[in-house]
Amino acid sequence: MISVHDHTGLNALARRCRVDPFLVRRFRTAFHKKQFTAADALKELPSEALPLFSREVDFHPLTLATRQDSQADGATKLLFRTRTGELIESVILRIASGRTSLCVSTQAGCAAACAFCATGTLGLSRNLGAAEILDQVTQANLLLQPEGRQVRNLVFMGMGEPFHNEAELFRALDLLAAPEGLHLDPRRMLVSTVGIPDAMVRAAKRFPRLRLALSLHSARADVRERLIPVARRHSLGALREALLQAAALQGELPMIEYLLLRDVNDTAADVLALGEFLRGMKAHINLIPYNAIHGPAPFGATDPARRAEFAAALREQGFTVTTRYSLGADIAAACGQLARVTAGQTPPPIPATA
Ligand code: SF4
């Protein structure tokens, strides 16, 4: 079958049944930009082309298994089943400003095994294909259509380390930006990585407008390696070099994400190490309060007073510091909480942190 996102394949199909290219463009616009269902988009084609397009075009490689709407904020967690049976999650984020973002997954599970992350407890099932990455956006748009909303911003912060699936990630980014498809501005897409230096530089080179974020979480090698096991393979020095190269290619430094964990990476020594690591860089540090994952919480959250001190100490050194308040904590959709929940099953309660 031909993916509805494969524009070359669709053009070849159209030539086979001699469809006017104008009508193929109308079909694409209806599906990708006007949030038409597959059945309605097909009506834009001449009737003689319908059997072939219905049979040969793959509109949805994912099946929506469940949706959970937050009672506390504007988050909706979508649980999808792949054709090979894996369950993956995406999160719609209705931001108070009116923007709509989608947090997408790039892998079913994740091999990175970060100590603070629910997905990391699952191990890796497999990489997602580009069509599966894009279908998360298409299906979110279909659900948002009755609300008059459309996904405007994409964050690659769902299940998986995006750069462990680099080829399909890059294909998906190309297709997302394609004028024939969703035509999303790469400035509205942000790829967050635990730090694969070579891949960060390749991404910055190939997508100069793409936004990158490095989940640093500590500038002390021993602490970072405890939190992010893959850090053992990529030194802080290599990461610093990758940040500088990405900044030279893109004109701005990747955002630095820093998950605050009580007494683990929020001490005065951590501020010093972070300042030293980022010395000479115009860094934007995004502090992330910890969200407890299912089961016994392995870490505690930094209390707000210490978080404020931590931020102030970094600002004094000239860095821009913001705090990310995740949506969807009540439905286990906040940062670090995505873990496969079987369709129809209520997610386990989230343990409280101090
Ligand atoms: S934080 Fe990201 S890279 Fe680390 S285990 Fe979770 S999904 Fe994987």
Side-chain angles (χ1 to χ4, degrees):
M1 285 184 98
I2 297 161
S3 166
V4 71
H5 302 285
D6 172 359
H7 306 299
T8 312
L10 278 188
N11 287 341
L13 196 63
R15 281 195 297 276
R16 258 171 70 193
C17 49
R18 296 189 163 74
V19 179
D20 182 341
F22 168 75
L23 295 177
V24 181
R25 270 203 303 280
R26 222 167 62 177
F27 158 76
R28 280 199 183 105
T29 303
F31 187 74
H32 294 301
K33 300 195 174 78
K34 295 189 178 170
Q35 299 163 278
F36 280 30
T37 62
D40 285 340
L42 282 166
K43 289 180 192 152
E44 301 291 317
L45 295 168
S47 55
E48 55 277 20
L50 282 188
L52 188 66
F53 269 71
S54 308
R55 203 175 53 241
E56 301 274 331
V57 179
D58 185 7
F59 289 89
H60 297 299
L62 302 176
T63 305
L64 182 63
T66 57
R67 76 176 266 180
Q68 280 180 278
D69 295 294
S70 166
Q71 300 306 307
D73 52 46
T76 297
K77 184 161 76 169
L78 307 175
L79 181 73
F80 293 106
R81 182 175 285 105
T82 67
R83 291 218 172 95
T84 43
E86 296 88 6
L87 292 167
I88 61 157
E89 293 173 339
S90 319
V91 184
I92 296 172
L93 304 159
R94 297 173 190 81
I95 319 285
S97 63
R99 268 186 307 136
T100 308
S101 298
L102 184 72
C103 177
V104 294
S105 295
T106 50
Q107 297 184 298
C110 185
C114 299
F116 49 82
C117 173
T119 309
T121 62
L122 302 174
L124 176 69
S125 296
R126 71 170 172 85
N127 285 334
L128 298 181
E132 291 170 312
I133 296 171
L134 267 79
D135 198 28
Q136 296 170 60
V137 187
T138 304
Q139 295 214 35
N141 272 336
L142 283 172
L143 289 172
L144 287 164
Q145 215 253 8
E147 301 174 33
R149 284 177 178 266
Q150 204 164 5
V151 173
R152 293 282 176 218
N153 297 279
L154 275 187
V155 290
F156 290 79
M157 292 185 187
M159 294 174 129
E161 160 51 51
F163 290 137
H164 282 170
N165 186 14
E166 186 178 330
E168 291 302 303
L169 170 73
F170 284 8
R171 261 191 82 206
L173 291 170
D174 278 333
L175 291 169
L176 284 161
E180 310 93 310
L182 287 151
H183 203 186
L184 282 175
D185 184 345
R187 288 302 300 159
R188 294 180 174 275
M189 299 187 237
L190 184 141
V191 173
S192 171
T193 175
V194 289
I196 317 294
D198 295 353
M200 287 170 67
V201 175
R202 281 193 294 272
K205 198 173 211 165
R206 179 151 164 190
F207 304 100
R209 285 171 59 75
L210 176 69
R211 295 176 59 214
L212 293 172
L214 168 65
S215 295
L216 187 66
H217 305 330
S218 178
R220 292 159 66 195
D222 56 332
V223 177
R224 189 161 199 272
E225 286 170 17
R226 182 182 149 210
L227 298 176
I228 305 171
V230 298
R232 289 178 206 136
R233 294 206 292 273
H234 308 292
S235 70
L236 284 165
L239 276 185
R240 199 182 135 85
E241 185 53 35
L243 285 173
L244 291 169
Q245 285 191 41
L249 290 160
Q250 296 193 309
E252 71 174 14
L253 198 76
M255 185 166 69
I256 305 297
E257 297 172 319
Y258 199 101
L259 178 70
L260 280 167
L261 303 168
R262 191 178 57 226
D263 299 330
V264 175
N265 65 355
D266 64 353
T267 65
D270 294 293
V271 175
L272 266 179
L274 187 52
E276 187 56 33
F277 176 76
L278 294 172
R279 189 135 55 112
M281 298 189 198
K282 272 185 80 178
H284 171 188
I285 304 162
N286 192 220
L287 300 177
I288 309 169
Y290 174 61
N291 291 304
I293 60 174
H294 304 153
F299 298 105
T302 296
D303 67 54
R306 193 186 288 187
R307 191 169 74 222
E309 280 169 27
F310 196 89
L314 291 169
R315 283 193 190 103
E316 266 171 34
Q317 297 178 58
F319 301 118
T320 302
V321 184
T322 51
T323 302
R324 179 191 308 165
Y325 295 99
S326 300
L327 302 185
D330 63 324
I331 52 169
C335 292
Q337 288 184 334
L338 293 187
R340 183 182 43 200
V341 174
T342 311
Q345 178 192 327
T346 309
I350 301 163
T353 52

